[in-house]
Amino acid sequence: MENQRKNVLVTSNGDEISSNIAFHLARRGCRLVLMGDGTALRRIAEKILGSIKGAGPVEVVALDMEEEKESVFDEAVGRASMLLGKLDAFVHCYSYEGKMQEPLNLPEGEFKKIVKINFMSPWYLLKAVGKRLKEQKSGGSVVFLSSIIGSERGLYQGAAAYGSCLAGVQQLVRQAALEIGKYQIRVNAIARGLHLDDEYPLSAGRDKAEKLVKDVAPLHRWLDPKNDLASTVIYLISDGARYMTGTTIFVDGAQSLVRPRMRSYM
């Protein structure tokens, strides 16, 4: 894949998955702006710069993903674009699932938090990033990190609001690809599998989930947050994926193919 050194805006809540994606992008020579919780992301930026010799600048733009005003997201993306000089790609990793509970027991406040973070913020960020990419007249790549629960074949109990938001994001990927492709903006998603520290395995019990993974997962392991996702992100933002848009790629070790069987075990 040629020209992998991109200027990339990455949203992150400081979790293991997004921080490792940022690390792999920096190791490839990408120039990064991390967006989200400023305190957590400054620590990640320092870690990247301290562990990768010759790493490009890693800047941080603080943004509250529960913000309801579109203008706040637009201003934050504007700051990120100025820091990068030219925006090549946007990778949205920020999410909030909450604790496992059935929808009839989900408090109103928790529901609103889930919707703000997992659907409203992706919408606002897509608009803000899309406008910059359109103005640049050089196109670019947008990647949403989603989960198997946002897809029909990857359902599990206890996260109805979260799954519904991610299903909306995956539909947004298709609609956006259809409508803004004329500006050479590509929009794709990754439906990741579950890792051992996700809420669903934890709700079953970490020891039980670790013990039974060989019975319920075709690859006999949970997703590795450190190494299993970054290569797909790198591909989607690269020139090698220049004709790929409107697609959700499953990086789930076939977990979504065996959900009923997994549910019966866990």
Side-chain angles (χ1 to χ4, degrees), residues 163-228:
S164 298
C165 289
L166 296 189
V169 169
Q170 291 185 28
Q171 183 66 6
L172 176 61
V173 164
R174 292 185 283 270
Q175 284 291 143
L178 184 67
E179 298 191 36
I180 64 177
K182 59 190 175 184
Y183 306 120
Q184 299 305 303
I185 302 171
R186 299 183 294 106
V187 188
N188 294 287
I190 298 170
R192 71 167 181 87
L194 301 176
H195 63 87
L196 195 54
D197 289 321
D198 274 322
E199 290 296 333
Y200 182 68
L202 289 178
S203 70
R206 186 185 177 92
D207 291 341
K208 181 180 179 182
E210 196 166 13
K211 180 180 178 181
L212 294 178
V213 67
K214 292 183 179 180
D215 296 320
V216 300
L219 293 183
H220 291 186
R221 66 177 178 86
W222 298 100
L223 179 136
D224 175 5
K226 186 175 181 180
N227 297 304
D228 285 343

Side-chain angles (χ1 to χ4, degrees), residues 74-110:
D74 189 74
E75 290 169 6
V77 171
R79 291 197 300 274
S81 297
M82 289 182 64
L83 289 169
L84 290 170
K86 175 180 178 291
L87 180 60
D88 296 314
F90 168 58
V91 182
H92 182 62
C93 301
Y94 201 110
S95 67
Y96 172 76
E97 183 170 12
K99 299 298 182 183
M100 297 291 97
Q101 55 187 314
E102 66 176 58
L104 300 185
N105 295 329
L106 185 67
E108 180 182 356
E110 180 72 353

Side-chain angles (χ1 to χ4, degrees), residues 12-254:
S12 168
N13 61 359
D15 66 301
E16 188 176 7
I17 286 179
S18 57
S19 60
N20 277 296
I21 287 173
F23 179 87
H24 282 280
L25 290 171
R27 195 168 67 177
R28 293 272 177 161
C30 294
R31 183 175 181 179
L32 303 179
V33 170
L34 306 180
M35 180 175 287
D37 181 273
T39 302
L41 297 185
R42 277 187 282 274
R43 288 196 294 266
I44 293 173
E46 291 172 1
K47 185 176 180 180
I48 290 173
L49 293 173
S51 59
I52 301 176
K53 186 177 180 180
V58 181
E59 306 283 357
V60 172
V61 173
L63 176 63
D64 181 2
M65 295 294 174
E66 292 186 64
E67 175 61 57
E68 296 185 30
K69 294 181 180 178
E70 181 177 345
S71 60
V72 173
F73 289 86
D74 189 74
E75 290 169 6
V77 171
R79 291 197 300 274
S81 297
M82 289 182 64
L83 289 169
L84 290 170
K86 175 180 178 291
L87 180 60
D88 296 314
F90 168 58
V91 182
H92 182 62
C93 301
Y94 201 110
S95 67
Y96 172 76
E97 183 170 12
K99 299 298 182 183
M100 297 291 97
Q101 55 187 314
E102 66 176 58
L104 300 185
N105 295 329
L106 185 67
E108 180 182 356
E110 180 72 353
F111 169 74
K112 288 181 177 179
K113 179 176 181 177
I114 290 170
V115 173
K116 287 176 186 176
I117 293 175
N118 298 299
F119 189 76
M120 289 177 64
S121 69
W123 175 275
Y124 291 148
L125 288 165
L126 175 64
K127 285 187 67 178
V129 169
K131 286 193 295 184
R132 270 72 184 185
L133 294 176
K134 177 185 175 182
E135 290 167 0
Q136 291 177 178
K137 300 184 185 302
S138 56
S141 175
V142 174
V143 179
F144 288 102
L145 184 62
S146 183
S147 167
I148 57 174
I149 196 175
S151 306
E152 183 178 357
R153 73 188 200 204
L155 302 180
Y156 55 84
Q157 295 177 340
Y162 178 64
S164 298
C165 289
L166 296 189
V169 169
Q170 291 185 28
Q171 183 66 6
L172 176 61
V173 164
R174 292 185 283 270
Q175 284 291 143
L178 184 67
E179 298 191 36
I180 64 177
K182 59 190 175 184
Y183 306 120
Q184 299 305 303
I185 302 171
R186 299 183 294 106
V187 188
N188 294 287
I190 298 170
R192 71 167 181 87
L194 301 176
H195 63 87
L196 195 54
D197 289 321
D198 274 322
E199 290 296 333
Y200 182 68
L202 289 178
S203 70
R206 186 185 177 92
D207 291 341
K208 181 180 179 182
E210 196 166 13
K211 180 180 178 181
L212 294 178
V213 67
K214 292 183 179 180
D215 296 320
V216 300
L219 293 183
H220 291 186
R221 66 177 178 86
W222 298 100
L223 179 136
D224 175 5
K226 186 175 181 180
N227 297 304
D228 285 343
L229 293 166
S231 60
T232 306
V233 172
I234 290 167
Y235 169 65
L236 287 174
I237 70 170
S238 76
D239 298 339
R242 61 188 177 274
Y243 204 60
M244 179 172 286
T245 192
T247 297
T248 296
I249 298 177
F250 283 76
V251 183
D252 69 343

